[in-house]
Amino acid sequence: MAFSFCLIAMNMMAKAAVNIDRIDPAYWFAGMKDASLQLMVYGKDIRNCTVTAGNQSVKVDSVVRLDNPDYLLVYLDVSAAKPGVVPLNFVSGSAKRQVKYELRAREMSGEDRRGFTNATCFIC
């Protein structure tokens, strides 16, 4: 009897968890010129989740629910964010899940990068 109760409780807990299989991009960079970041979240029945950031320097601007119930687009404002880990909270009813999303430090600012010119073209 106790064994079957444990199985039922474990089954209910498994159904109560928010399932997130993947977030793209897997990480991003703090200090980018464009401070808006779009995350594509994939997980079984993720569409109905509400999303909050557990860090005051990152704000959830909007959440777009797609036709496919397994995808969710989350738009973040990272203008005030510093490099580090940002907790993202996903809630659907009583089910909750926190994902740690990494914002990395940039090695070099975009203005310091140099593209190709005629001087770097070997075949020209």
Side-chain angles (χ1 to χ4, degrees):
M1 174 90 171
F3 178 72
S4 62
F5 177 74
C6 287
L7 285 177
I8 292 170
M10 286 173 48
N11 188 29
M12 288 174 59
M13 286 178 15
K15 288 183 179 179
V18 173
N19 183 27
I20 298 174
D21 296 321
R22 182 178 176 141
I23 296 179
D24 286 318
Y27 58 87
W28 198 242
F29 298 93
M32 298 291 282
K33 193 172 189 178
D34 183 359
S36 61
L37 171 60
Q38 179 194 60
L39 300 179
M40 184 178 70
V41 183
Y42 172 76
K44 183 80 173 143
D45 295 322
I46 195 78
R47 175 177 47 193
N48 295 324
C49 282
T50 58
V51 184
T52 59
N55 183 325
Q56 291 185 1
S57 65
V58 175
K59 294 185 283 184
V60 176
D61 278 341
S62 64
V63 175
V64 177
R65 296 167 200 326
L66 304 175
D67 291 337
N68 187 324
D70 298 337
Y71 286 92
L72 190 67
L73 298 179
V74 180
Y75 289 86
L76 302 176
D77 177 359
V78 294
S79 58
K82 302 288 184 217
V85 174
V86 176
L88 297 175
N89 304 305
F90 294 82
V91 178
S92 179
S94 63
K96 298 177 183 179
R97 171 95 185 263
Q98 186 178 75
V99 175
K100 295 179 179 180
Y101 190 78
E102 183 182 9
L103 289 175
R104 295 183 178 179
R106 293 184 69 184
E107 294 176 12
M108 176 187 310
S109 72
E111 290 80 25
D112 295 337
R113 297 190 186 275
R114 217 177 91 189
F116 293 106
T117 66
N118 287 338
T120 57
C121 183
F122 298 112
I123 301 175
C124 299

